[in-house]
Amino acid sequence: MYGYMLRKDATERMCDVLLLLAENERKSYLDKILMTLQNQDMKSTMIGVEELDEVIDECGKEGEKTKGLLQVFDAFTVPKYTYSTEFKKFFRREAAKPGEGTFGSADHKVQVFLDRYWLLYQRTSRHKLFTPPASGVRATDAKKYRLKNVEFLLGCTSKLKEIIVLGMITKIHEGKLHLEDPTGIVEMNLREAKFQSGIFTESTFVLAEGSYEDEVFHITALGFPPLEPAKNTKSYYGNVNFFTTNPLPCTKSLMKLRAAESTEAGMIVFLSNIYLDQEKTLEAIDILLKGFDNCPPACFVMCGRFCSAHGSSHLPKLREGLVNLSQIITRFPNIEKESRFVLVPSMSDYGMNKMLPRPPLPSIITEEFCKKVPKAIFTTNPCRIQYFTQEIIVYRDDLMKKMCKNSLKCPTKDLPANLTKTILSQSFLSPLPIHINPLFWRHSQALQIYPMPDLLVLCDQSAPSFETKHVGCININPGSFSCGDFNFKVYCAATKSVEESKIEF
């Protein structure tokens, strides 16, 4: 079987399945099994009965109805992959075992930065600027560069010029900035540095170009690792599903999904900062749902904060606001039947907060809402949505304010484009120091952006409503619903277009 070998139990299972089929259908079914196997991240060419059952189940899903094919994945189910420099590929790490805790050990903290570094290193090394010409091929006039590490600098006693190092900006001593990678730390001098577009803060990984002399790296240019389109990433790691734990669909199923997507995919409505304890907000939601009742979207994604109250009054008002929202939804039977409601909490909503990824709102206050609205999903922040073949990441945080406040040199214009470029080039949703945006070290992969999604939704109250696009990835901020002009955005999945909308009274 094209290099695959079946164990005895798997062979018996395969025979049992084939005997149920007509003789003229067996060859096409075997071809389907092989195509599905080639898209899986198999650890060995020896196939057991468990692996075979997963492939058979995946083939069985091909005939399922594609309409309404929308899945929501919380942050704690995102698979974790580590890049191996020896084998030049990603290996999946085992999930946390029960009883091991959520925070993780100090080793997990170190692994957060190692995983970020090696992901960016392998991506940058493949870029045309850093790829040497193949042997026997005439070199072009384009200038090529070679990445060096900090250890190379520290081992030289003479002056080095035109050196490029990939490393993380960090502050080891007060008043001085350093560049760090897995091999060491070197002091940086940024007095003559030219900053490329983006927002540079501590804990961001940069490509630093300059000269090394007297144990100081004198920077002349500072930029971010180059972006890579999703199709390029998948051409290298097509059998790895970074997005979810689901097995990848076989090629035939993928083609059918894409064909159905262009005709059957609906709309997804994004709202952020919805104060359910305010009458004006509830009136606006009522108008919104009334407008969509004749053509229900596939999903409404509502991001916090969900209550404007603070202190002891926050919980009762949030509970009351959810009850009022459920009553509004049930007044529109078409939407209640056809649309899903995904609710993503902010860092300041009720429950365990201030750490990423942020768990969903506690079931003690959402249970009644879910009974009235069965298609409601209370999920984590961030979360991932798969709609047909499209991958969507939703993240609620005031990144613009935090990034600009802690930047080395804040851009003076086009802040949304600079923000989205920074996030995508880092392949990480929160490239800020851990003391500013704390995270659960064991679950840092939930903030990873790799490969590029089709849509990145950054719900940011501190930034204006915006839409940008980088290497095929659409980035949007729906704006603040309650604190603004009741703005929201509508994503048309069939055409991959975004419409700016607002409620007018």
Side-chain angles (χ1 to χ4, degrees), residues 135-158:
S135 58
V137 179
R138 189 172 66 180
T140 61
D141 295 332
K143 189 175 181 180
K144 298 287 185 178
Y145 300 92
R146 290 190 64 183
L147 284 176
K148 302 293 184 181
N149 55 31
V150 173
E151 186 180 40
F152 175 80
L153 301 183
L154 299 177
C156 294
T157 55
S158 59

Short mmCIF file of all heavy atoms in Angstrom, two decimals, residues 135-158:
data_model
loop_
_atom_site.label_atom_id
_atom_site.label_comp_id
_atom_site.label_asym_id
_atom_site.label_seq_id
_atom_site.Cartn_x
_atom_site.Cartn_y
_atom_site.Cartn_z
N SER A 135 23.34 24.30 -6.16
CA SER A 135 24.59 24.00 -6.86
C SER A 135 24.31 23.69 -8.32
O SER A 135 23.38 22.97 -8.66
CB SER A 135 25.29 22.80 -6.20
OG SER A 135 24.44 21.68 -6.22
N GLY A 136 25.13 24.25 -9.21
CA GLY A 136 24.95 24.06 -10.64
C GLY A 136 24.01 25.06 -11.28
O GLY A 136 23.84 25.06 -12.50
N VAL A 137 23.40 25.92 -10.46
CA VAL A 137 22.49 26.95 -10.99
C VAL A 137 23.18 28.30 -10.90
O VAL A 137 23.77 28.65 -9.87
CB VAL A 137 21.17 26.98 -10.17
CG1 VAL A 137 20.25 28.07 -10.70
CG2 VAL A 137 20.49 25.62 -10.23
N ARG A 138 23.12 29.06 -12.00
CA ARG A 138 23.78 30.35 -12.03
C ARG A 138 23.12 31.32 -11.06
O ARG A 138 21.90 31.48 -11.03
CB ARG A 138 23.74 30.93 -13.45
CG ARG A 138 24.62 32.18 -13.62
CD ARG A 138 24.70 32.59 -15.07
NE ARG A 138 23.40 33.03 -15.56
CZ ARG A 138 23.18 33.45 -16.80
NH1 ARG A 138 24.18 33.46 -17.66
NH2 ARG A 138 21.98 33.84 -17.17
N ALA A 139 23.92 31.93 -10.23
CA ALA A 139 23.41 32.86 -9.23
C ALA A 139 22.85 34.11 -9.90
O ALA A 139 23.38 34.59 -10.90
CB ALA A 139 24.51 33.23 -8.26
N THR A 140 21.79 34.65 -9.33
CA THR A 140 21.20 35.88 -9.85
C THR A 140 21.91 37.09 -9.24
O THR A 140 22.77 36.96 -8.37
CB THR A 140 19.70 35.93 -9.51
OG1 THR A 140 19.55 35.93 -8.08
CG2 THR A 140 18.97 34.71 -10.08
N ASP A 141 21.51 38.26 -9.72
CA ASP A 141 22.13 39.48 -9.21
C ASP A 141 21.57 39.88 -7.84
O ASP A 141 22.10 40.77 -7.19
CB ASP A 141 21.90 40.63 -10.20
CG ASP A 141 22.62 40.36 -11.54
OD1 ASP A 141 23.65 39.65 -11.49
OD2 ASP A 141 22.16 40.87 -12.57
N ALA A 142 20.46 39.26 -7.43
CA ALA A 142 19.85 39.61 -6.14
C ALA A 142 20.79 39.24 -4.99
O ALA A 142 21.40 38.17 -4.99
CB ALA A 142 18.51 38.89 -5.98
N LYS A 143 20.90 40.14 -4.05
CA LYS A 143 21.80 39.91 -2.92
C LYS A 143 21.21 38.91 -1.96
O LYS A 143 20.03 38.94 -1.65
CB LYS A 143 22.06 41.23 -2.19
CG LYS A 143 23.15 41.14 -1.13
CD LYS A 143 23.44 42.50 -0.53
CE LYS A 143 24.56 42.41 0.51
NZ LYS A 143 24.87 43.73 1.11
N LYS A 144 22.03 37.96 -1.53
CA LYS A 144 21.61 36.94 -0.59
C LYS A 144 22.23 37.20 0.78
O LYS A 144 23.33 37.76 0.89
CB LYS A 144 22.01 35.56 -1.08
CG LYS A 144 21.38 35.14 -2.41
CD LYS A 144 19.90 34.82 -2.23
CE LYS A 144 19.31 34.28 -3.53
NZ LYS A 144 17.89 33.90 -3.37
N TYR A 145 21.52 36.77 1.84
CA TYR A 145 22.00 36.98 3.20
C TYR A 145 22.08 35.63 3.92
O TYR A 145 21.42 34.66 3.54
CB TYR A 145 21.07 37.92 3.97
CG TYR A 145 20.93 39.29 3.36
CD1 TYR A 145 19.91 39.56 2.44
CD2 TYR A 145 21.81 40.31 3.69
CE1 TYR A 145 19.79 40.83 1.87
CE2 TYR A 145 21.68 41.58 3.14
CZ TYR A 145 20.67 41.82 2.22
OH TYR A 145 20.54 43.07 1.66
N ARG A 146 22.86 35.61 4.97
CA ARG A 146 22.97 34.42 5.81
C ARG A 146 22.67 34.80 7.26
O ARG A 146 23.21 35.79 7.77
CB ARG A 146 24.37 33.80 5.72
CG ARG A 146 24.67 33.15 4.36
CD ARG A 146 25.95 32.36 4.44
NE ARG A 146 25.83 31.23 5.36
CZ ARG A 146 26.85 30.42 5.64
NH1 ARG A 146 28.05 30.63 5.09
NH2 ARG A 146 26.68 29.42 6.48
N LEU A 147 21.79 34.01 7.87
CA LEU A 147 21.46 34.27 9.27
C LEU A 147 22.58 33.77 10.17
O LEU A 147 23.11 32.68 9.99
CB LEU A 147 20.16 33.54 9.64
CG LEU A 147 18.84 34.15 9.16
CD1 LEU A 147 17.69 33.24 9.55
CD2 LEU A 147 18.65 35.54 9.74
N LYS A 148 22.96 34.60 11.11
CA LYS A 148 23.96 34.22 12.12
C LYS A 148 23.27 34.17 13.48
O LYS A 148 22.22 34.78 13.69
CB LYS A 148 25.10 35.24 12.16
CG LYS A 148 25.85 35.41 10.83
CD LYS A 148 26.62 34.16 10.45
CE LYS A 148 27.44 34.38 9.18
NZ LYS A 148 28.18 33.16 8.78
N ASN A 149 23.88 33.46 14.41
CA ASN A 149 23.34 33.44 15.77
C ASN A 149 24.21 34.26 16.70
O ASN A 149 25.31 34.70 16.34
CB ASN A 149 23.18 32.01 16.28
CG ASN A 149 24.47 31.21 16.20
OD1 ASN A 149 25.56 31.76 16.32
ND2 ASN A 149 24.36 29.90 16.01
N VAL A 150 23.74 34.49 17.90
CA VAL A 150 24.47 35.32 18.87
C VAL A 150 25.80 34.67 19.24
O VAL A 150 26.80 35.37 19.45
CB VAL A 150 23.59 35.55 20.12
CG1 VAL A 150 24.39 36.25 21.21
CG2 VAL A 150 22.37 36.37 19.76
N GLU A 151 25.83 33.36 19.31
CA GLU A 151 27.07 32.67 19.65
C GLU A 151 28.18 32.98 18.66
O GLU A 151 29.36 33.10 19.03
CB GLU A 151 26.80 31.16 19.70
CG GLU A 151 27.99 30.35 20.19
CD GLU A 151 27.67 28.87 20.23
OE1 GLU A 151 26.99 28.38 19.29
OE2 GLU A 151 28.09 28.21 21.18
N PHE A 152 27.83 33.14 17.38
CA PHE A 152 28.82 33.49 16.36
C PHE A 152 29.44 34.85 16.65
O PHE A 152 30.64 35.06 16.50
CB PHE A 152 28.16 33.49 14.98
CG PHE A 152 29.05 33.94 13.86
CD1 PHE A 152 29.97 33.07 13.29
CD2 PHE A 152 28.97 35.24 13.37
CE1 PHE A 152 30.79 33.49 12.26
CE2 PHE A 152 29.79 35.67 12.35
CZ PHE A 152 30.71 34.79 11.78
N LEU A 153 28.59 35.80 17.09
CA LEU A 153 29.10 37.14 17.42
C LEU A 153 30.03 37.08 18.63
O LEU A 153 31.12 37.66 18.62
CB LEU A 153 27.95 38.10 17.71
CG LEU A 153 26.91 38.32 16.60
CD1 LEU A 153 25.89 39.36 17.07
CD2 LEU A 153 27.56 38.77 15.31
N LEU A 154 29.59 36.39 19.66
CA LEU A 154 30.37 36.36 20.90
C LEU A 154 31.70 35.64 20.73
O LEU A 154 32.65 35.88 21.49
CB LEU A 154 29.56 35.66 22.01
CG LEU A 154 28.22 36.32 22.38
CD1 LEU A 154 27.50 35.49 23.44
CD2 LEU A 154 28.43 37.74 22.88
N GLY A 155 31.79 34.80 19.73
CA GLY A 155 33.04 34.06 19.51
C GLY A 155 34.05 34.79 18.65
O GLY A 155 35.15 34.27 18.43
N CYS A 156 33.70 35.99 18.15
CA CYS A 156 34.63 36.74 17.28
C CYS A 156 35.30 37.87 18.07
O CYS A 156 34.65 38.55 18.87
CB CYS A 156 33.87 37.32 16.09
SG CYS A 156 33.24 36.07 14.95
N THR A 157 36.58 38.05 17.82
CA THR A 157 37.33 39.13 18.48
C THR A 157 37.53 40.32 17.58
O THR A 157 37.81 41.43 18.05
CB THR A 157 38.70 38.60 18.94
OG1 THR A 157 39.40 38.04 17.81
CG2 THR A 157 38.52 37.52 20.01
N SER A 158 37.41 40.12 16.27
CA SER A 158 37.57 41.23 15.31
C SER A 158 36.22 41.82 14.97
O SER A 158 35.17 41.24 15.27
CB SER A 158 38.26 40.73 14.04
OG SER A 158 37.50 39.69 13.44
#
